[in-house]
Amino acid sequence: CDAAEFEAAVARGDLSRALDVYRGEFLAGFHVAGAPEYQDWLDRERTRFRDLAAQAARKLADDAASLDRHDDAIRYARRSLLLDPHDESGLRRLMTLLDTAGDRAAALRAYDEFARRLMTELDLEPSRETREIRERVARLGARDSGANVSSSAIQTATTRDPRPETLDTSTIAVLPFAIRGDPALAWLGEGIVDLLATALDGAGAVRAADPRALLRLVQREGWQEQDPASAATIAHQVGAGRYVLGSLVSAGGRLQATAGLYDGRGEQELSVQATAGGEGEVFDLVDELARQLLAAGQAGPGARLSRLAARTTTSMPALKAYLVGEGHIRAGRYYDAMESLQDAVTADPTFALAYYRFAAAAGGCAMPELARQLAELGAEHRNRLSEHDRYLFDAQRAWLSGAVTEAEAHYATITSIYPGDVEAWFLLGDLLFHSNPLRGRSATEARGAFERALALEPDHVTSLVHLVRIAALEGNRDEALERASRVIELSPEGDEVLAMRAFRAYATGNGEEIAAVVEALRSARLAAIALAFTDVAVYAGDLVAAESLARELTGVARSDEMRALFHVLLAHLALARKAPDAALAELGTAEKLDRAWGLETRALFAALPFGGIPQEEAVAARDALLAWDASRAEASSFIIFAMHNDLHPHIRLYLLALVESRLGDLRSARAHAEALIALTPVPGAEAISHHLTRGALARVLWAEGKPEEALAELGRGQTEAWFLLTVASPFYSQAFERWMRAELLTELGRDDEADGWRDSIAERSPYEIIYR
């Protein structure tokens, strides 16, 4: 075992052998679903092994340096920094060794790579001690080469204007560049102000100060070229919290531009470079500077994808549209995000990351087919991404296709190797929240993943939304209300803000807020209405309030199908409140508006051994199903009902097997189940076709007194599906089968297992509250 050999080599002091054995992460890519204690242990062990290897490399570097074996010392120092990439003492060791060896350019490159990594991953800059080593090496390198290096390029000015509190750090002022070399390029000194400001302006939250106003100030103030202190003063006067200083050098027909981004106090945040073949490529050079500034200037762990985007497209219009879309996603405005991301992929059809986020936005808008198509388009260009980001692509494609276990393994791998990835933590939580109940586990297990995302990005709106619902499920009303208020404050125009307002209004019984929510929902998108209703019925847990809300919305529904949906939901509320007659009345109205959904829900209710639906009603439902030609059911364009298009013949046979089982006609029940088995699965819906078949057969076996065989049949069923389908459909939700599994486990004396299935019912969908 290499892990055991590694530890033995460290223990006996054979550090060279230990590093030969250490080839990478302990158990890389290995994952066990539903075992958080194992995952915690694995994280600790990976860290312990990595730390031991890094210590060994540092010791070998120091020993080699003391013996003047500089090549070995440098090799081990690089290895230690690779193992512990945020270790500043390791960076200083490597820079000192490279400086001693006379390779100062390599020392400066090592610093720049480290500084860029620290800013990208942790939103930090190197310590003063490390920066001083960099300045010393740069001065020595400049002296040795005879170059005339401006002191402002290698040291920080000591006198700064304090930054006024009112300055907007998202607004950037571009100051005139210093032009050196060809006098014919003097026009670019001020010309680049307009070009670069235009390139930066509108990229997400970034705004560029008005170039004309800025140039008038420069002329009036008699600005001293490249002086950070006076540049800060000018930036303040145009309301900019940051500014860009730069130079353009022409030599041998080529252009080299360097630009530094400074904060309002004159501290340099970052520096970027770009080159061009000549004056004819100036526009490309400016775009390259802008992309690099945007990539390096996106702060915080949550902005990693934005930084990556700026490095993986060559189109400024595509990048700007992407950053706008990313801002919408972070604020929970998925419909707005889709418009911007459409612009991004139109401007650059090879922009893999834009497809990835476009698919995420489409998924958030309940458009599964579009989301899958976009994910596939993005996958065609995924080779331009790192292994880290390819993992995200693979996880998204698995998630959208309903391969939950595969997606969970990908997200677990990403979070273990890249624990600072906000996106991966949120998506892992999202997957656990929506998929756990289908596996007999509570949605509340997702709390840890969402809290990790929030720790990295405290204003992560969608994590807060999920934590509202988790707190509500756990009975922690105060936490739920506090987090809901935070969502409303952070994202007043977000897609889920109406749901959060509805939750808060009904949970507190605030009449004014309830009236305002109802009024807003009258003109809201269907997705917002569905979320608001679910939050009141499932998470606020107020069935009377949910009924009141549904009745208000029924009166303003914009189509017969939408009215049918509300009557179906009202029927579920009535049955959950033990009012079967009221439930049947609602379904009678629904059936007149949409035959398929009304009849299918009536038959499902009639199949339940609980709920109080009379036997004669079960007989009537069976007879109606027998007389119904489900193959001729009209296809629906209504987004929620459309998920059952082409499935009605399967649903009909499934329901007949369930109803006949309740009525005790087991011969007919088995005949319907076998007819369902013989029916060809619906292309693209094979998983639900398979699930309905197994559910029907399991119910028949249970009615025949064969609980073990029934439970085994359910175990062979496909339980994975994309989460929006399982929330929006009483059949995709598998609620009946989950309830049946709990009953079978109890009957077989396996109460602990039964509790997991029973307790996780009604955690996500209003169609599940009848089982609560």
Side-chain angles (χ1 to χ4, degrees):
C1 171
D2 59 350
E5 185 179 350
F6 169 81
E7 287 194 285
V10 170
R12 67 175 181 266
D14 189 355
L15 302 185
S16 178
R17 175 58 185 163
L19 284 186
D20 286 343
V21 171
Y22 188 90
R23 301 286 178 83
E25 288 282 356
F26 176 60
L27 289 177
F30 190 70
H31 173 66
V32 177
E37 296 87 353
Y38 164 78
Q39 194 63 46
D40 290 343
W41 171 82
L42 182 58
D43 290 343
R44 290 194 301 274
E45 285 298 279
R46 284 174 172 163
T47 301
R48 184 174 69 85
F49 278 115
R50 193 186 311 116
D51 287 348
L52 284 172
Q55 291 168 16
R58 287 193 286 269
K59 179 70 165 58
L60 288 169
D62 290 342
D63 290 349
S66 68
L67 298 173
D68 293 329
R69 298 201 322 264
H70 291 295
D71 289 347
D72 289 341
I74 290 169
R75 177 164 56 86
Y76 286 125
R78 288 191 188 279
R79 183 78 186 276
S80 76
L81 198 58
L82 185 65
L83 291 163
D84 190 355
H86 301 138
D87 176 23
E88 284 204 48
S89 63
L91 171 68
R92 292 194 291 270
R93 177 187 294 105
L94 176 60
M95 291 179 68
T96 301
L97 287 167
L98 290 167
D99 179 35
T100 302
D103 194 350
R104 296 191 174 101
L108 294 175
R109 281 198 303 274
Y111 174 89
D112 289 343
E113 289 170 6
F114 181 90
R116 187 160 45 248
R117 183 166 60 247
L118 206 62
M119 177 59 68
T120 298
E121 297 177 6
L122 302 178
D123 197 22
L124 296 172
E125 64 176 13
S127 66
R128 178 170 293 279
E129 180 183 359
T130 305
R131 294 200 306 270
E132 287 173 351
I133 292 177
R134 192 263 181 211
E135 291 167 7
R136 178 180 61 77
V137 172
R139 281 197 299 272
L140 291 172
R143 184 196 64 192
D144 293 346
S145 64
N148 180 20
V149 180
S150 166
S151 62
S152 66
I154 58 173
Q155 63 187 15
T156 303
T158 57
T159 304
R160 302 291 180 218
D161 292 331
R163 177 165 52 192
E165 293 299 323
T166 56
L167 288 180
D168 181 3
T169 56
S170 65
T171 299
I172 297 176
V174 180
L175 278 295
F177 274 37
I179 305 298
R180 301 189 178 94
D182 187 352
L185 294 175
W187 68 273
L188 272 174
E190 293 187 357
I192 209 165
V193 173
D194 193 53
L195 294 173
L196 187 54
T198 300
L200 292 171
D201 190 55
V206 174
R207 295 293 177 267
D210 184 347
R212 288 167 292 184
L214 186 139
L215 288 172
R216 282 197 297 271
L217 267 175
V218 165
Q219 292 162 4
R220 190 173 72 229
E221 298 287 334
W223 176 61
Q224 297 178 15
E225 182 182 278
Q226 301 301 293
D227 174 40
S230 61
T233 301
I234 289 173
H236 295 169
Q237 291 183 61
V238 293
R242 295 187 292 173
Y243 61 92
V244 174
L245 288 178
S247 63
L248 188 66
V249 178
S250 172
R254 293 187 63 77
L255 302 177
Q256 178 162 337
T258 302
L261 181 64
Y262 294 77
D263 67 17
R265 294 185 176 88
E267 298 284 350
Q268 185 170 344
E269 297 180 356
L270 54 97
S271 178
V272 300
Q273 290 186 338
T275 59
E279 187 175 356
E281 298 178 12
V282 162
F283 295 104
D284 293 337
L285 180 143
V286 169
D287 279 357
E288 178 60 25
L289 284 177
R291 279 195 301 275
Q292 290 190 42
L293 286 167
L294 290 168
Q298 300 286 328
R304 191 188 70 82
L305 290 180
S306 295
R307 292 189 289 268
L308 176 64
R311 294 194 294 269
T312 54
T313 180
T314 57
S315 165
M316 273 306 296
L319 176 59
K320 292 169 82 167
Y322 172 89
L323 292 174
V324 171
E326 181 69 18
H328 288 316
I329 287 180
R330 288 158 70 87
R333 297 189 297 269
Y334 294 113
Y335 288 96
D336 294 335
M338 286 179 67
E339 292 184 19
S340 298
L341 293 165
Q342 176 65 70
D343 292 340
V345 297
T346 300
D348 181 0
T350 68
F351 195 176
L353 206 59
Y355 285 112
Y356 170 78
R357 295 305 266 166
F358 198 172
C365 294
M367 299 179 182
E369 289 306 317
L370 176 60
R372 293 187 193 106
Q373 291 168 17
L374 291 166
E376 293 303 319
L377 286 169
E380 293 177 10
H381 307 289
R382 65 197 288 278
N383 333 342
R384 302 172 64 183
L385 302 173
S386 67
E387 181 180 51
H388 178 176
D389 299 293
R390 290 198 295 271
Y391 271 131
L392 281 174
F393 264 71
D394 292 342
Q396 183 189 63
R397 293 169 73 199
W399 181 215
L400 289 171
S401 67
V404 176
T405 303
E406 180 186 346
E408 183 180 5
H410 283 307
Y411 288 132
T413 298
I414 299 167
T415 53
S416 63
I417 299 175
Y418 307 101
D421 190 327
V422 179
E423 169 90 350
W425 280 115
F426 164 71
L427 291 171
L428 176 60
D430 197 46
L431 181 147
L432 294 174
F433 182 85
H434 291 293
S435 298
N436 268 3
L438 273 68
R439 304 184 286 185
R441 293 159 50 192
S442 175
T444 61
E445 286 183 17
R447 175 183 279 278
F450 290 129
E451 288 181 339
R452 288 291 292 270
L454 270 188
L456 293 164
E457 188 179 325
D459 293 343
H460 197 275
V461 171
T462 40
S463 289
L464 283 166
V465 168
H466 282 77
L467 286 168
V468 169
R469 292 164 182 156
I470 287 173
L473 290 172
E474 292 173 339
N476 193 335
R477 179 177 180 274
D478 290 342
E479 179 194 345
L481 290 172
E482 180 184 346
R483 291 195 187 277
S485 296
R486 181 64 177 151
V487 172
I488 295 166
E489 175 192 347
L490 287 172
S491 182
E493 303 299 323
D495 291 346
E496 297 209 63
V497 75
L498 261 179
M500 293 293 97
R501 285 175 56 196
F503 172 82
R504 186 175 71 177
Y506 284 97
T508 59
N510 185 312
E512 288 186 10
E513 283 197 30
I514 289 172
V517 165
V518 170
E519 185 59 33
L521 286 171
R522 292 177 190 275
S523 57
R525 291 185 175 103
L526 178 61
I529 294 170
L531 284 169
F533 176 83
T534 300
D535 278 359
V536 174
V538 176
Y539 301 112
D542 189 336
L543 301 187
V544 175
E547 179 181 352
S548 173
L549 177 59
R551 292 208 183 283
E552 288 277 0
L553 295 170
T554 302
V556 295
R558 298 184 286 274
S559 69
D560 284 348
E561 289 173 310
M562 187 182 285
R563 277 189 286 277
L565 171 64
F566 287 127
H567 285 293
V568 166
L569 291 171
L570 282 165
H572 279 79
L573 292 171
L575 196 65
R577 291 191 294 105
K578 299 180 170 41
D581 291 343
L584 290 172
E586 294 293 345
L587 291 177
T589 304
E591 202 167 339
K592 293 173 185 174
L593 295 165
D594 188 282
R595 177 79 192 285
W597 267 71
L599 175 56
E600 287 168 352
T601 307
R602 180 158 65 99
L604 179 61
F605 284 10
L608 298 174
F610 59 87
I613 300 295
Q615 179 122 337
E616 59 269 24
E617 291 294 343
V619 171
R622 177 199 62 192
D623 292 345
L625 285 174
L626 288 171
W628 180 41
D629 185 354
S631 65
R632 300 183 66 180
E634 188 174 345
S636 175
S637 59
F638 185 55
I639 188 168
I640 292 180
F641 290 1
M643 66 182 66
H644 292 170
N645 286 349
D646 301 323
L647 278 172
H648 296 296
H650 293 73
I651 294 172
R652 173 182 172 273
L653 288 170
Y654 163 82
L655 290 169
L656 280 168
L658 267 55
V659 174
E660 295 284 25
S661 293
R662 182 199 167 185
L663 293 173
D665 187 347
L666 302 188
R667 179 176 295 179
S668 295
R670 178 165 283 281
H672 293 309
E674 289 174 353
L676 180 56
I677 292 170
L679 206 59
T680 303
V682 176
E686 289 84 1
I688 183 65
S689 302
H690 179 71
H691 155 69
L692 292 171
T693 300
R694 298 304 173 195
L697 191 53
R699 179 65 182 98
V700 173
L701 287 165
W702 187 22
E704 291 173 343
K706 302 172 183 174
E708 291 185 354
E709 291 182 43
L711 190 62
E713 192 64 40
L714 287 176
R716 284 192 284 273
Q718 169 63 267
T719 61
E720 299 191 341
W722 190 49
F723 80 94
L724 278 177
L725 296 174
T726 66
V727 171
S729 162
F731 303 109
Y732 275 99
S733 76
Q734 304 168 37
F736 182 87
E737 284 66 39
R738 289 152 54 203
W739 166 81
M740 180 165 49
R741 191 185 293 247
E743 294 295 304
L744 287 165
L745 286 165
T746 299
E747 193 172 314
L748 292 168
R750 294 159 61 178
D751 291 339
D752 289 344
E753 292 175 70
D755 287 344
W757 291 97
R758 190 171 285 116
D759 294 345
S760 60
I761 216 95
E763 288 191 335
R764 306 163 314 119
S765 171
Y767 296 118
E768 298 176 10
I769 58 176
I770 57 175
Y771 300 92
R772 182 177 279 165

